[in-house]
Amino acid sequence: MNKQVKAFFYSVVVALGGFVFGLDAAVISGTVKFITAEFGLNDLQVGTAVSAPGFGVLIALLITPWLCNRFGRKKTLILISALYWVSAVTSALAPTYWSLVAARFLGGLAFTSLTVAAMYIGEVAPPRWRGKLVSINQMNIVFGLSAAYFVNYFLIQAMNNDAGWAVAVNLKENIWRFMLGSEIIPAFIWLGLLFLIPESPRWLVYRGRIEEAKAIMHRITPDDEIDGQVKAMEESLHHGTEELSGLSQFRELFHKRMRLVVVVAVVIAVAQQLSGINAILFYAPTVFEQLGGGTDAAFAQSLWVGLVSVIFTLGAILLVDRLGRRPLILIGLMWVVVSHSLCWWGFNTARYTLSEEAVVELPAEVDAAALKPMLGQEFKSDIAFKSALIDALGETEARVHSAEILKQSADMNATLILIGILSFISAFHFSLGPVMWVLFSELFPTSLRGVAIPFFVLISSVISFLVQKFFPWQLANMGGEAIFMFYGIVALVGFVWLLPILPETKNLSIEEIQLKLERK
């Protein structure tokens, strides 16, 4: 292989962790109804099960900087891939609710794969390729998301159609276990492939192992550029302080010369997650059930989330080094605002009425007599309608049958809301999704990267955890209208903040980017 192909190969191998992450993140969306019924969960318990990895990653991000700086990027990635595999096995076999939460938490310890992958790829990729190669990580995330939605849909169809193999393995009773177990093989493959990549040359320079760094750079860097790049790395390290303690690195990170970098990183980290992406990705069938199409339609519509994610992430990869980081971020934020506005309007104009004819169409296990007090009443919000359902059927029964009851009672512009949701998914994966990782791989000097990237990803992850944890409760108590309005306002505030300060970093080395930012 020539040098560019090797750099590409190493980046792709590392980015396969994005596929495992995407699969892990989205496959849980299909299990919500089934684990709720099996373990008798309320809204906050559902949120805990779904968000357990989000809490796990908060813990992992506190030790990731030390692992990366002490043992290197490669060994840290190998440990992470092993955690993914163990989590997948134990999640699929979990006998109780809390054992499922614990297994999911273990998988969350591996979610730092995104951080370390962006760091590694940013350090081995040539400057002119960095944007595309870092974005491959995001591409693999959406491939994983898509695979999860297809796996869930395939299993639902097999269960509903009583396929021979589905009956043989008792799929109806264990479908959520098969969904979670779909991660086992990809995680094992990634673990094996990671033994084929070299250590990051920047980390070797950071540790003073110059000759080892040069030997690896001979595989991926033109020979006439190696000495110059090593010298630039050493100067960058000298500009900071080699072997800084964690506390010293944080002090350096918040030095006034880093102020612009910190503001940009914080705003992007907050806007990326608080615009609502994980509410959709982690609860896709649940969200689509609110449109009144029923459970099967909700799983089918979830496939569109995966397909749209792939298409627009590919577009971002092709354009991130051509158009630049700044235009994609700013265009994407305004696109998110418009998308959420469509969803807000769709829910704002929705009405819910349960008729006698509709009750007849409900599944036999629904207590039709208990619904009589609701007949003929018009409810002007999903919150009021669900509250009446809970009063009529009880919390557990209302949750189990809400999709089919909404299907018979909702009068809304479901197409408009579906377009708004898919538009939001498109905007996110065209801008905030991949470009945040590109910027995080570029903004920070070598001496601070091991602390800086995990720290700002920690901010993003805290918000992600909170979104995942409380979304079921928000949906039940705030309703779709208020939720989408809030997400749109967040994106608008992010746009206003970044418009005057967001720098352009395309085609610059990490050292050149740092000099540019310090001059501002």
Side-chain angles (χ1 to χ4, degrees), residues 467-504:
V467 169
Q468 296 168 45
K469 167 71 176 176
F470 291 106
F471 181 74
W473 180 90
Q474 286 179 304
L475 195 60
N477 293 276
M478 294 172 58
E481 178 185 353
I483 289 174
F484 282 104
M485 180 176 67
F486 172 73
Y487 292 153
I489 290 173
V490 168
L492 181 60
V493 172
F495 175 86
V496 172
W497 265 95
L498 290 174
L499 182 62
I501 64 172
L502 183 63
E504 183 53 74

Side-chain angles (χ1 to χ4, degrees), residues 159-450:
M159 180 184 72
N160 290 339
N161 295 330
D162 290 325
W165 70 268
V167 174
V169 300
N170 197 16
L171 183 63
K172 190 165 291 188
E173 297 295 325
N174 298 296
I175 185 168
W176 65 269
R177 299 183 185 277
F178 280 86
M179 289 176 175
L180 296 178
S182 64
E183 184 186 339
I184 294 173
I185 294 176
F188 186 76
I189 292 173
W190 187 46
L191 172 61
L193 288 174
L194 284 173
F195 287 93
L196 303 179
I197 68 169
E199 184 52 82
S200 162
R202 284 183 182 274
W203 179 78
L204 292 170
V205 171
Y206 174 75
R207 302 296 295 182
R209 295 156 62 176
I210 306 300
E211 294 307 314
E212 291 179 62
K214 287 184 177 180
I216 290 172
M217 291 179 73
H218 275 294
R219 305 186 206 173
I220 59 177
T221 306
D223 292 343
D224 59 351
E225 297 179 13
I226 292 175
D227 289 337
Q229 289 192 22
V230 170
K231 183 178 179 181
M233 293 177 203
E234 291 179 306
E235 288 176 352
S236 176
L237 287 169
H238 181 70
H239 189 57
T241 304
E242 194 170 5
E243 295 294 348
L244 286 173
S245 68
L247 182 59
S248 297
Q249 289 184 56
F250 272 113
R251 289 199 193 101
E252 184 70 13
L253 180 62
F254 289 98
H255 189 277
K256 64 180 181 180
R257 70 184 177 86
M258 296 292 294
R259 186 174 301 154
L260 180 63
V261 175
V262 169
V263 171
V264 169
V266 167
V267 173
I268 290 178
V270 171
Q272 195 210 45
Q273 289 300 328
L274 210 54
S275 62
I277 186 61
N278 282 337
I280 306 298
L281 298 183
F282 283 71
Y283 295 96
T286 302
V287 172
F288 287 124
E289 283 180 355
Q290 311 310 304
L291 307 189
T295 298
D296 289 349
F299 275 90
Q301 288 165 340
S302 297
L303 299 180
W304 285 103
V305 172
L307 293 172
V308 166
S309 299
V310 169
I311 293 169
F312 282 89
T313 301
L314 180 59
I317 291 174
L318 295 176
L319 295 175
V320 68
D321 286 326
R322 182 177 301 177
L323 296 182
R325 288 58 160 154
R326 177 182 164 87
L328 290 186
I329 287 287
L330 295 178
I331 291 170
L333 282 168
M334 286 308 300
W335 190 350
V336 169
V337 173
V338 172
S339 302
H340 284 326
S341 297
L342 295 178
C343 297
W344 166 80
W345 179 252
F347 280 107
N348 177 264
T349 56
R351 297 294 181 265
Y352 305 85
T353 306
L354 192 60
S355 65
E356 292 186 16
E357 293 79 7
V359 171
V360 173
E361 298 295 326
L362 292 175
E365 57 267 25
V366 178
D367 186 354
L371 294 173
K372 284 186 178 180
M374 295 179 60
L375 295 180
Q377 292 188 57
E378 181 181 84
F379 297 88
K380 296 184 178 180
S381 73
D382 52 340
I383 302 175
F385 183 73
K386 291 175 187 175
S387 177
L389 274 183
I390 292 173
D391 291 340
L393 298 176
E395 187 171 355
T396 301
E397 288 299 306
R399 183 177 292 107
V400 170
H401 300 297
S402 64
E404 296 307 317
I405 297 174
L406 280 170
K407 181 178 179 180
Q408 298 298 329
S409 58
D411 179 15
M412 62 168 59
N413 193 337
T415 301
L416 179 68
I417 300 174
L418 178 62
I419 290 172
I421 291 173
L422 295 180
S423 177
F424 165 57
I425 296 296
S426 303
F428 179 87
H429 288 294
F430 187 72
S431 59
L432 290 170
V435 182
M436 185 188 84
W437 295 107
V438 175
L439 285 171
F440 279 10
S441 76
E442 296 176 331
L443 289 175
F444 308 108
T446 302
S447 60
L448 303 180
R449 291 165 66 79

